[in-house]
């Protein structure tokens, strides 16, 4: 009972939508993540929560680094693709991907962060990763947000 009530309550919280990526032995991995936030400005740090069963989590723990693609308002299909368990999410996304600092970067994403893994905090069925931001790229675009179990754009950015 509390699990469903918790899900319903959290559905009312809008969150940014990101695709977190890693690479191991030349193979790219990625997952849609809405549990992402900035943590510190000095030094620049972010936090990302990943399900313990996530294939990208294992690669981040093994390599000690990850990328964060902050998605734009027109990238909801990419978010859906990387939220599913499909064999090759990169090919299935139908979107050009490049590499930046050795990590998969979504073409057209308005925000891109390269992070070195700092601390890892256990939290139930997820791990909270604290990342030190090593590189940042930005572009002008309205962000994609997730709330009420759907993707959308904050009305202030939709003008």
């Amino acid at each position: 009972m509390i699990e469903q009530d918790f899900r319903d309550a959290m559905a009312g919280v809008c969150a940014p939508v990101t695709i977190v990526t890693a690479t191991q032995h030349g193979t790219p991995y990625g997952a849609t993540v809405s549990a992402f936030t900035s943590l510190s400005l000095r030094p620049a740090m972010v936090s990302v929560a990943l399900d313990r069963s996530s294939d990208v989590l294992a690669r981040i723990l093994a390599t000690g680094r990850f990328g964060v693609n902050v998605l734009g308002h027109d990238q909801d299909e990419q978010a859906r693709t990387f939220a599913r368990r499909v064999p090759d999410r990169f090919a299935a996304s139908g979107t050009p991907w490049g590499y930046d600092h050795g990590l998969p970067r979504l073409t057209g994403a308005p925000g891109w962060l390269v992070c070195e893994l700092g601390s890892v905090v256990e939290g139930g069925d997820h791990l909270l990763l604290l990342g030190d931001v090593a590189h940042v790229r930005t572009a002008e675009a309205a962000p994609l947000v997730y709330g009420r179990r759907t993707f959308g754009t904050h009305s202030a950015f939709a003008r």
Side-chain angles (χ1 to χ4, degrees), residues 45-106:
M45 295 177 68
V46 296
S47 67
V48 176
L50 287 168
D51 189 296
R52 290 176 185 265
S53 68
S54 166
D55 58 356
V56 71
L57 174 62
R59 278 52 189 203
I60 293 170
L61 295 176
T63 63
R65 56 196 312 256
F66 59 95
V68 180
N69 294 273
V70 180
L71 301 189
H73 65 96
D74 58 348
Q75 296 178 315
D76 53 311
E77 279 304 314
Q78 288 78 26
R80 285 186 185 86
T81 299
F82 279 79
R84 294 185 296 239
R85 295 199 182 264
V86 296
D88 185 348
R89 293 174 178 144
F90 292 91
S93 72
T95 303
W97 284 81
Y99 279 83
D100 195 337
H101 292 84
L103 294 164
R105 178 178 172 203
L106 176 61

